[in-house]
Amino acid sequence: MKVLLVGGGGREHALGWKIAQSPELSKLYLAPGSAGLNHLGEKLSFGDGELQAIADFAAENAIDLVVVGPEAPLAAGLGDLLAAKGVPCFGPSRAAAQLESSKSFMKDVASAAGAPTAAYGRFTDIEPAKAFLREQTAPYVIKADGLAAGKGVVIAESLKDADAAVEEMLSGRFGEASEAIVIEEFMRGEEASFFAITDGENILPLIDAQDHKRAYDGDKGPNTGGMGAYSPAPVFTDKVRERTMKELIEPVIAEMKSRGTPYVGVLYAGLMIEDEKPRLVEFNARFGDPECQILMRRLKSDLLPALYKAATGGLKGVSLDWSDDAAALVVMAADGYPGAYKKGSEIKGVEAANALPGVVVFHAGTKEENGGLLSNGGRVLNVTATGEDIREAVERAYAGVDAIDWPGGFYRKDIGWRALERDDAERAR
Ligand code: AMP
Ligand code: GLY
């Protein structure tokens, strides 16, 4: 099978690393690929923003499957361009990708499907939005309707801050993405994410994970794309898994099909869990980054046939084997991330880290130059490790971090704290 992988971060390194292990792969093409994939596939001259170039290349070179990592090309219609040329694509159409790209669309679908989520209102004008806020209680949740790179959510403790967020967003803070806003009920509980692959009708449940969205230790500082992750998530019990499938994923996939816009690809459900009851926070139309990386570390089966069957409507009866081992990931980010940061500082020790037990380092934002490795992004390295339990996986991941010499970066030192605290409490009993 000839596969074209779209995207260039740590998630795509992990997907490419896994796909490259498949006996069914004949050639891997990368648009543009992570620097960590340079020796596993052929880097194309265009990147993940050049949709027409991707579709033309795929059609002209008889690509069997295009796998799309990030949301932006999906929201812009890459799936539709490929479908028009008859190229199988793992990733939803533009209409189906609205489950991520439009918060109000997601809310409509969830409500039609009866999926549990926060009550909400949608607004395009400041005054009615402020009036609605006055009917709610603190904390207030205000979201840009469109894609705002994970930055379009404000949780305000006071009405004053909530009003300010409403005014700022509806005056164009995120351009088109905040022409409309959604105001939601605040949900309590613990967050976790769950992933499922679907061909539009048949659903293959994957596994769960937890990530750390804030930049600094103790879940402080600005929101980021994710500073670390681990799997399994102790809060995600068998009962939660069953409810998530029955109450959320299955009805939503059925609803998308009945609307004539079947959802194909991986559906990422961000959940708030309280008393073993999952409620939907968000959907993403793709694998999480960095959650994908630890999913790939726990996946024992060949991934490629499952992706192909999802893209071509044959997922029925497919199953995947997962390792009982836990996996953890520590993001090493450039100083200043998620704000302004410098590129081009030298990184050493990745090979030494990769030689440690259980450790695999994925490249999220690096480049090779004159035989050396330089930082080339905000999130730069993803140090992953597997272990018998989360404690061991986390310890091994930090041993990997210690082996890396990169003065230009920082990382959180408390990845996995929720799971470890829970484990401490259980041991003390
Ligand atoms: P989102 O971009 O929708 O995933 O929101 C970003 C983060 O804000 C989530 O991961 C949650 O931590 C938090 N959040 C969003 N919506 C809610 C809500 N309705 N109640 C509580 N927390 C929320
Ligand atoms: N790690 C969160 C996300 O990929 O959206």
Side-chain angles (χ1 to χ4, degrees):
M1 228 186 273
K2 290 201 272 183
V3 176
L4 167 53
L5 176 61
V6 176
R11 166 181 49 210
E12 289 75 24
H13 186 184
L15 286 170
W17 170 84
K18 191 69 195 170
I19 290 169
Q21 294 169 30
S22 172
E24 294 197 25
L25 181 76
S26 56
K27 174 125 195 202
L28 180 62
Y29 294 92
L30 307 162
S34 145
L37 286 173
N38 288 348
H39 58 289
L40 293 176
E42 180 180 330
K43 190 177 164 78
L44 300 171
S45 60
F46 42 86
D48 56 11
E50 289 156 272
L51 308 192
Q52 197 61 54
I54 293 170
D56 289 345
F57 180 89
E60 282 158 20
N61 294 277
I63 297 296
D64 298 292
L65 178 67
V66 175
V67 177
V68 186
E71 66 276 18
L74 295 167
L78 179 56
D80 308 73
L81 280 180
L82 291 165
K85 290 181 182 282
V87 180
C89 172
F90 182 80
S93 66
R94 180 187 177 127
Q98 288 180 95
L99 279 183
E100 171 167 5
S101 64
S102 163
K103 301 266 184 211
S104 57
F105 178 85
M106 177 283 256
K107 286 294 198 177
D108 271 2
V109 171
S111 140
T117 182
Y120 76 106
R122 177 182 188 271
F123 303 92
T124 50
D125 294 303
I126 293 174
E127 287 318 313
K130 285 189 177 174
F132 185 77
L133 280 176
R134 277 149 185 82
E135 297 163 18
Q136 316 296 315
T137 49
Y140 307 93
V141 182
I142 300 128
K143 301 184 176 182
D145 195 7
L147 287 179
K151 295 178 188 117
V153 178
V154 171
I155 301 194
E157 296 297 333
S158 70
L159 254 184
K160 186 166 155 268
D161 292 350
D163 282 348
V166 163
E167 279 168 23
E168 201 187 0
M169 283 195 198
L170 286 176
S171 328
R173 166 93 158 82
F174 299 107
E176 249 178 60
S178 68
E179 275 171 12
I181 60 168
V182 166
I183 298 178
E184 284 188 5
E185 166 200 358
F186 180 83
M187 296 185 284
R188 292 180 199 281
E190 185 173 335
E191 283 188 86
S193 15
F194 184 67
F195 302 83
I197 285 178
T198 167
D199 59 12
E201 184 173 350
N202 304 292
I203 305 172
L204 172 60
L206 308 183
I207 54 171
D208 50 284
Q210 269 176 312
D211 76 343
H212 295 267
K213 289 201 169 73
R214 302 294 201 97
Y216 312 132
D217 285 10
D219 289 330
K220 300 221 164 54
N223 252 321
T224 71
M227 292 299 291
Y230 50 95
S231 173
V235 69
F236 205 83
T237 58
D238 288 346
K239 188 166 164 198
V240 173
R241 179 187 170 94
E242 199 176 303
R243 292 185 76 146
T244 300
M245 284 304 293
K246 283 270 162 313
E247 296 170 17
L248 272 147
I249 310 271
E250 288 171 10
V252 163
I253 295 303
E255 172 67 19
M256 292 300 287
K257 182 168 180 250
S258 78
R259 289 177 177 227
T261 51
Y263 185 93
V264 171
V266 57
L267 186 62
Y268 165 143
L271 305 165
M272 189 68 80
I273 299 157
E274 192 179 30
D275 301 331
E276 295 198 298
K277 286 198 269 304
R279 293 174 81 194
L280 183 64
V281 178
E282 61 167 348
F283 277 132
N284 292 315
R286 51 174 174 84
F287 281 107
D289 185 351
E291 294 91 326
C292 179
Q293 291 84 312
I294 50 176
L295 263 50
M296 293 305 114
R297 292 299 319 275
R298 291 190 62 205
L299 178 59
K300 292 201 284 190
S301 310
D302 188 353
L303 175 68
L304 185 51
L307 299 182
Y308 182 74
K309 286 175 180 161
T312 54
L315 203 56
K316 195 170 187 158
V318 175
S319 64
L320 293 172
D321 283 334
W322 299 91
S323 167
D324 289 332
D325 279 355
L329 176 151
V330 179
V331 169
M332 298 182 78
D335 285 339
Y337 174 82
Y341 54 82
K342 290 203 192 92
K343 293 182 181 178
S345 55
E346 196 180 4
I347 303 166
K348 289 185 192 153
V350 172
E351 267 176 40
N354 272 324
L356 295 172
V359 173
V360 173
V361 181
F362 293 118
H363 294 243
T366 67
K367 68 175 177 193
E368 282 168 10
E369 213 171 84
N370 305 326
L373 190 67
L374 303 179
S375 71
N376 195 34
R379 291 190 292 178
V380 171
L381 293 174
N382 301 152
V383 183
T384 69
T386 51
E388 215 168 73
D389 52 19
I390 292 190
R391 193 172 298 276
E392 187 178 54
V394 166
E395 277 167 14
R396 286 174 159 187
Y398 280 113
V401 169
D402 288 341
I404 291 169
D405 175 16
W406 178 36
F410 76 101
Y411 56 91
R412 278 184 60 162
K413 297 180 179 61
D414 63 347
I415 298 305
W417 69 264
R418 268 199 193 81
L420 298 178
E421 250 179 27
R422 202 180 270 259
D423 186 50
D424 287 341
E426 270 161 27
R427 278 172 202 232
R429 245 188 261 137

